[in-house]
Amino acid sequence: MTADAKEKLKDFVENKLSAGGTTNMRDGLKMGLDVLDDRRHKSGRVSSIVLMSDGDEDFPGASLAVDARGKAVYTFGFGEDHDAKVLGAIASKSNGGTFHYVRDDESLTVRFAEILAGLLSVVVQDLELVVSEQPGHSKIIVQEKDEGDAAEPGKYPQRRQGDKVCISFGDLFSGEVRKVIVHLLLPAVHRGYRATVLTAQCSYRYMTLFNPWKRFQVSS
């Protein structure tokens, strides 16, 4: 952020921002996402949303219909009147966001610092895993208990493309690990044989010295 932008933001907070007694999380979330999308400089920039609330939503559940557009949304609930269920759901629906209950100034400082530290330690962007079944040897199946998911990547979004399942993890912080369970249906066999039953491919952007945030692809 430039010095001029910082001064404008400071002036807005000190002189123009006021409490109106409403909690319009839906429009606030949409505005934040629009600001990120409308930036002039986006390439290689790490971005996320921080949503803070101290009350019930004006239109219950309206914010849950907002598409986080692949961004992480970190939510903070202040005081006894915030809606922890909605704030938690907003964070869970986003790509890697978390919900935090703010009990006091110290807890806010610690949680906020952890989020900022994480954003500063992003080592991989746009991480995506593609797992593919092998016709005649395996089939990726849907489990009813998973509510239609063919893989279990936690809260990260996935999509089915023919014989493939694509899982989007977004950004990866230093030291983080992602684990996925894939459900496979294998044919009955009456003798031993060797076959590839699953292939995996991941792609991501990684910062290099001469080519910032170059895209890489790894297969196995």
Side-chain angles (χ1 to χ4, degrees):
M1 183 179 289
T2 64
D4 182 57
K6 290 180 180 179
E7 286 300 319
K8 289 182 179 179
L9 179 59
K10 181 180 178 181
D11 176 67
F12 179 81
V13 172
E14 293 179 346
N15 302 314
K16 300 177 182 178
L17 189 64
S18 61
T22 60
T23 306
N24 192 347
M25 287 192 282
R26 177 191 60 188
D27 287 352
L29 184 56
K30 289 174 64 177
M31 180 177 291
L33 291 165
D34 288 342
V35 169
L36 292 182
D37 287 345
D38 292 341
R39 291 172 299 161
R40 287 186 298 173
H41 305 290
K42 292 186 287 187
S43 179
R45 305 295 177 91
V46 178
S47 61
S48 62
I49 296 287
V50 175
L51 176 63
M52 301 181 178
S53 175
D54 64 352
D56 289 325
E57 192 170 17
D58 294 344
F59 307 100
S63 58
L64 298 180
V66 178
D67 180 7
R69 308 173 197 175
K71 300 290 191 301
V73 180
Y74 299 96
T75 58
F76 289 81
F78 293 80
E80 298 179 354
D81 296 328
H82 75 273
D83 193 330
K85 185 176 181 180
V86 169
L87 291 173
I90 292 172
S92 295
K93 280 171 57 65
S94 73
N95 202 350
T98 52
F99 164 65
H100 304 278
Y101 170 45
V102 181
R103 295 180 175 83
D104 48 40
D105 292 346
E106 183 178 356
S107 64
L108 172 61
T109 301
V110 171
R111 296 301 184 187
F112 205 76
E114 289 175 348
I115 292 173
L116 290 180
L119 294 177
L120 293 174
S121 65
V122 169
V123 293
V124 164
Q125 284 192 316
D126 300 334
L127 175 62
E128 183 174 79
L129 173 67
V130 178
V131 290
S132 305
E133 61 191 27
Q134 302 300 298
H137 299 293
S138 67
K139 182 176 179 59
I140 299 176
I141 61 174
V142 173
Q143 299 286 314
E144 290 184 3
K145 67 182 182 65
D146 296 328
E147 299 180 353
D149 289 342
E152 294 184 47
K155 59 187 177 182
Y156 296 94
Q158 63 175 280
R159 63 187 186 278
R160 185 73 183 250
Q161 294 181 338
D163 61 354
K164 300 178 175 62
V165 174
C166 307
I167 304 166
S168 299
F169 291 109
D171 299 339
L172 195 67
F173 299 155
S174 177
E176 280 194 310
V177 176
R178 297 288 182 266
K179 296 182 179 181
V180 176
I181 298 175
V182 181
H183 301 281
L184 286 177
L185 179 64
L186 304 178
V189 295
H190 303 288
R191 58 183 176 80
Y193 81 106
R194 299 176 63 87
T196 298
V197 297
L198 185 74
T199 61
Q201 182 181 79
C202 70
S203 63
Y204 57 90
R205 289 193 297 134
Y206 180 80
M207 180 174 285
T208 64
L209 181 61
F210 301 105
N211 193 349
W213 297 110
K214 179 180 179 181
R215 178 163 289 281
F216 290 82
Q217 188 166 295
V218 180
S219 301
S220 64

